[in-house]
Amino acid sequence: MELTRRDVLAALAAAGVVGAGAHEYAERDGGSADPPLTDHETATLVAVAEVAYPSAVSNVPDFARRYSVARVNDDADYRAGVREAVADLDDACTSWFDDRFAALDDDDARADALHEIGAVVATPDPSGGRSERIRHYLVNELLYALYTSPTGAGLAGLENPPGYPGGDTSYQRGPQ
Amino acid sequence: MTDRTPRADADVCVVGAGPAGALVAHRLAAAGHDVVVLDAGPRFDPADRPAREETAIRPGETAPWGTGVDEHAERDAFTSTGPKSYPLNDARVKGVGGSTLHWQGMVMRLHESDFRLHTETGLGTDWPLSYADLRSHYAAAERAFGVAGASDNPFAPPRETPFPLPAFEPSYSDSIFAEACEARGIATHSVPNARNSESYQGRSECQGYGTCKPVCPSGAKYDATVHVSKAEDAGARVIDRAAVQRLEHDDAGERVTAAVYATPDGEFRQEADEFVLAAGGVETPRLLLLSESPQYPDGLANTSGLVGRYFTDHFYAGVGGVVDERTRQHHVGFNTTNSHQFYERPSDGSRTAIKLEFHNYAGPTPADVALSGDALGDDLLDDVRREYGNQVGVGALVEQVPQYENRVRLDRSKTDDHGSPVPDVVWSLDDRTKRTIERANEIQRGILSELDAEIRWEIGPEKTGPAFHHMGTTRMGVDPSTSVVDPELRTHDLSNLTIAGSSVFPTTGAMNPTLTIAALSLYAADRLRERL
């Protein structure tokens, strides 16, 4: 299932990001003169999404990039948290695996790294320790984006997830 | 700067901009009267609703409307000292629109028997009004809200006209329950909803956001800002962040003369010919108690000693689990099927009323599962699919016969941001209500067993909590020694003080109270019009 711009907008709406700003970032193909995240930070978020998302979805880099850029652009505190979490993740990976997260060999290596760091089982907490912050700002935020989108939640049979204005007929339909 | 000074020559001062206050204000302003409404909380910007909606979706988020958050901890301070803890700030929204901003929006009329509980069962008391007295006002309230419903409930009281809007169709989940209920001889039927199944009076039809409680981003769910706006269009003046501190009365102690209110710009006095208290089942009695005077040392309008007494809420009972098929939960945030089959009480009074609700939002959402999981990628999706999708849940509201010892009183050891004693909510669970909760659980387990469900949770007498319906604390009656307001909803003690809201309910049934609040408010407004 391909993640689309509609999914980006739905996930942003579920995160409270609506209006012209959300549409602008969801639609924008090129870079910005004043990007809210560096290329490396964006690449790291995409790399996290590639291992956090199931193989059943495609177009993950585009979805993760558009969502993350709009999300951090809407919230300066959140942007600062993401930047710190990316730096924390890179520090841990460099220390343990001799390379930054996005530069690790493949998705298996990156999944192992997230597990080793504790970011998969940690309690998400924006003001917690390193593992808690990485889970909060990177892993869980990207999972939130996926599983509040029609395509992502649709993988579990909920094509009209809470926060998405999918009309008042889907609840009447049986399983497809 | 917002002008929060008093309105000169006001006919009516309404305290509280929730559904009761908004409806009274609109009706009186539309009739040409000068109306001012004072609300302790802020006006909420409709543009902020998407951000508030996020709190309904993201696990761990709370208080989308700000009641009780750190910023307002002092403003919303309370205590709860009864045997049963009461989470007051989860149960209310302080601000223009009141608790309809976070309500779910189920709007049933009370049954005819609810008005004569004592006569029929020997429990509680009878209302001084009958269903027939309120019937036309119920219809008016349904038109005001734009209620979507159908006349398919064999247990409902008689009605004179169809609902304003067609009912929402049953859910797929309802169809699963329908078979199980039919097998057990339980009749199910539609739910009257205060949300638009079609566009109504300028508000859109339901968009399916699925976050009705606590936030409807589209405005398809009715909330009291609808009638706040209508009242303002008709000339009423609505002042937010105007916390009424006390009511003052004349030398004879027969009439209220002014509401003294605190604002960010200082304290003011609003005078008026008539006053309407519509601040809910907790703040209304609290304000009366705070308005003590040499003439009324136990609180205003409290000659009976019953202001704050008989605090009542509905108790929740529920059973849920998983079945061996997909049930399609969380597409919408409201219920579409109920059963009132167990509503009427045995004549021996051995149990109280039960209203069954079949949930369309049982169990976690995919996002709930994903964000609390301990896996990634395909493994996590397997977990999400396993935890979401096969859930079922049956809830119930259970009636409590009002208990004298349950009450709202002042906690003089603790003060709010204006130095006034905070409310202390004293609540308890009695044996009869416990038995009724157990009976509700028995019915619920029976339905789930018909589905061969694996039961995973049960809310019974030990875990039960409130449905967030504050009622009974200024009860209505004919006898001034056993009630606070008369059948016209005027206090027995002060002739120009009306109370609108669920605090006047002498008994509560097991129906969500807001349609009855609205019907009584329109009824009270008509009585006021006759006097003005």
Side-chain angles (χ1 to χ4, degrees):
Chain A
M1 297 289 286
E2 182 179 355
L3 292 164
T4 64
R5 287 178 174 79
R6 179 191 69 152
D7 291 309
V8 176
L9 288 169
L12 286 170
V17 184
V18 295
H23 279 273
E24 180 188 352
Y25 279 94
E27 298 299 332
R28 180 182 291 168
D29 288 321
S32 164
D34 182 22
L37 293 171
T38 67
D39 288 347
H40 173 69
E41 289 162 344
T42 304
T44 303
L45 286 159
V46 168
V48 171
E50 293 275 21
V51 297
Y53 289 5
S55 56
V57 290
S58 60
N59 198 31
V60 169
D62 188 61
F63 175 84
R65 179 172 52 78
R66 291 178 191 278
Y67 174 83
S68 298
V69 168
R71 179 78 173 86
V72 300
N73 196 57
D74 182 70
D75 185 339
D77 290 342
Y78 177 72
R79 174 167 45 184
V82 166
R83 287 182 158 167
E84 186 181 5
V86 168
D88 284 343
L89 180 59
D90 280 341
D91 284 348
C93 288
T94 302
S95 171
W96 295 1
F97 307 108
D98 297 325
D99 221 335
R100 295 195 294 182
F101 181 79
L104 295 176
D105 287 346
D106 53 28
D107 287 349
D108 287 343
R110 285 188 277 271
D112 288 345
L114 288 173
H115 280 285
E116 291 283 338
I117 291 165
V120 181
V121 297
T123 301
D125 183 352
S127 52
R130 182 175 68 187
S131 303
E132 287 84 3
R133 292 197 309 276
I134 292 171
R135 174 150 195 195
H136 176 85
Y137 283 109
L138 306 183
V139 177
N140 267 16
E141 188 63 29
L142 287 161
L143 289 175
Y144 184 78
L146 177 68
Y147 286 106
T148 56
S149 73
T151 295
L155 295 172
L158 178 57
E159 68 275 17
N160 181 23
Y164 180 66
D168 63 355
T169 56
S170 73
Y171 78 96
Q172 302 170 40
R173 292 197 295 267
Q176 303 297 304
Chain B
M1 191 174 95
T2 303
D3 178 11
R4 294 189 171 87
T5 58
R7 178 173 191 159
D9 300 324
D11 296 324
V12 184
C13 172
V14 179
V15 180
L23 286 165
V24 169
H26 172 241
R27 181 156 286 202
L28 294 179
H33 299 294
D34 292 332
V35 178
V36 62
V37 182
L38 306 171
D39 196 280
R43 286 180 190 267
F44 298 103
D45 186 345
D48 292 340
R49 286 195 178 193
R52 298 184 194 284
E53 180 201 43
E54 182 187 2
T55 64
I57 306 169
R58 197 180 285 275
E61 296 283 339
T62 56
W65 300 97
T67 307
V69 299
D70 289 348
E71 180 188 353
H72 298 308
E74 204 177 0
R75 184 195 71 179
D76 302 333
F78 72 98
T79 53
S80 169
T81 59
K84 195 80 184 161
S85 172
Y86 199 89
L88 179 60
N89 284 336
D90 294 338
R92 61 179 179 175
V93 173
K94 198 170 276 190
V96 175
S99 297
T100 52
L101 293 169
H102 80 162
W103 73 327
Q104 191 174 54
M106 285 191 278
V107 279
M108 286 70 66
R109 301 182 182 194
L110 286 172
H111 286 200
E112 291 170 290
S113 60
D114 290 323
F115 294 88
R116 46 174 199 265
L117 182 67
H118 185 74
T119 298
E120 297 214 348
T121 68
L123 302 173
T125 187
D126 289 349
W127 287 47
L129 301 175
S130 68
Y131 175 74
D133 292 326
L134 280 187
R135 188 168 163 174
S136 65
H137 299 283
Y138 269 128
E142 288 168 347
R143 289 193 298 274
F145 287 177
V147 175
S151 300
D152 64 339
N153 181 350
F155 312 104
R159 10 180 346 104
E160 55 301 305
T161 56
F163 287 94
L165 294 173
F168 285 91
E169 294 294 325
S171 66
Y172 177 74
S173 178
D174 291 339
S175 70
I176 296 171
F177 279 119
E179 291 179 24
C181 287
E182 187 175 355
R184 297 190 75 83
I186 298 173
T188 59
H189 47 79
S190 63
V191 179
N193 272 292
R195 60 178 51 74
N196 295 346
S197 56
E198 299 171 352
S199 62
Y200 186 75
Q201 295 187 353
R203 292 186 291 122
S204 80
E205 66 183 294
C206 174
Q207 302 295 302
Y209 277 97
T211 58
C212 316
K213 185 179 178 179
V215 180
C216 174
S218 72
K221 180 187 78 173
Y222 175 86
D223 64 60
T225 63
V226 170
H227 279 88
V228 168
S229 296
K230 287 175 183 274
E232 289 181 307
D233 289 346
R237 176 141 179 262
V238 179
I239 304 176
D240 74 340
R241 301 175 70 189
V244 178
Q245 302 299 297
R246 61 189 179 278
L247 301 176
E248 296 179 344
H249 59 75
D250 61 9
D251 291 342
E254 294 174 353
R255 296 181 65 81
V256 175
T257 52
V260 179
Y261 62 98
T263 76
D265 318 314
E267 192 168 281
F268 300 100
R269 290 178 82 254
Q270 176 64 58
E271 299 180 351
D273 296 332
E274 294 278 348
F275 290 81
V276 179
L277 269 185
V282 173
E283 295 295 343
T284 287
R286 179 187 176 217
L287 178 56
L288 291 172
L289 295 173
L290 288 172
S291 302
E292 61 193 13
S293 68
Q295 206 157 349
Y296 292 103
D298 298 323
L300 203 62
N302 196 21
T303 299
S304 65
L306 295 180
V307 168
R309 289 284 184 181
Y310 297 107
F311 173 77
T312 310
D313 200 328
H314 298 126
F315 283 88
Y316 179 80
V319 177
V322 293
V323 293
D324 191 25
E325 60 181 308
R326 311 302 274 174
T327 60
R328 306 275 290 166
Q329 303 295 314
H330 289 288
H331 287 254
V332 289
F334 56 94
N335 296 322
T336 39
T337 291
N338 274 189
S339 177
H340 295 182
Q341 182 156 326
F342 304 95
Y343 195 84
E344 300 304 326
R345 308 91 174 159
S347 59
D348 63 2
S350 55
R351 73 158 175 86
T352 56
I354 297 169
K355 187 200 72 168
L356 289 178
E357 305 171 344
F358 299 89
H359 292 174
N360 286 331
Y361 38 76
T365 66
D368 291 336
V369 180
L371 271 66
S372 60
D374 56 6
L376 296 172
D378 290 347
D379 291 341
L380 179 60
L381 177 58
D382 287 344
D383 293 344
V384 171
R385 284 173 167 159
R386 188 171 56 251
E387 294 300 320
Y388 165 78
N390 291 33
Q391 303 270 348
V392 288
V394 188
L397 293 190
V398 170
E399 175 187 28
Q400 179 175 43
V401 178
Q403 310 288 306
Y404 179 78
E405 65 272 19
N406 290 344
R407 63 190 298 196
V408 173
R409 60 185 174 188
L410 300 180
D411 178 355
R412 296 186 187 277
S413 69
K414 191 172 179 181
T415 54
D416 68 8
D417 54 339
H418 298 293
S420 297
V422 304
D424 175 21
V425 181
V426 182
W427 196 44
S428 62
L429 173 60
D430 61 286
D431 288 342
R432 182 178 291 100
T433 309
K434 276 185 192 173
R435 287 197 300 274
T436 309
I437 293 170
E438 287 165 353
R439 174 65 179 130
N441 287 157
E442 182 182 40
I443 296 163
Q444 292 161 332
R445 283 194 301 270
I447 295 168
L448 263 61
S449 73
E450 202 70 42
L451 295 171
D452 291 325
E454 173 193 334
I455 291 178
R456 290 196 173 174
W457 58 269
E458 179 167 324
I459 305 295
E462 300 305 316
K463 295 182 180 174
T464 186
F468 300 166
H469 305 149
H470 312 145
M471 301 172 285
T473 47
T474 61
R475 56 175 22 196
M476 168 182 19
V478 175
D479 183 348
S481 69
T482 59
S483 58
V484 177
V485 300
D486 67 18
E488 294 197 350
L489 305 183
R490 268 194 302 183
T491 63
H492 291 296
D493 292 345
L494 296 114
S495 62
N496 68 338
L497 179 58
T498 294
I499 298 180
S502 50
S503 64
V504 305
F505 292 9
T507 59
T508 67
M511 293 301 174
N512 308 57
T514 304
L515 190 73
T516 303
I517 291 173
L520 283 171
S521 299
L522 296 171
Y523 168 85
D526 286 350
R527 305 288 81 74
L528 279 160
R529 282 176 63 186
E530 291 165 2
R531 292 199 295 273
L532 284 166

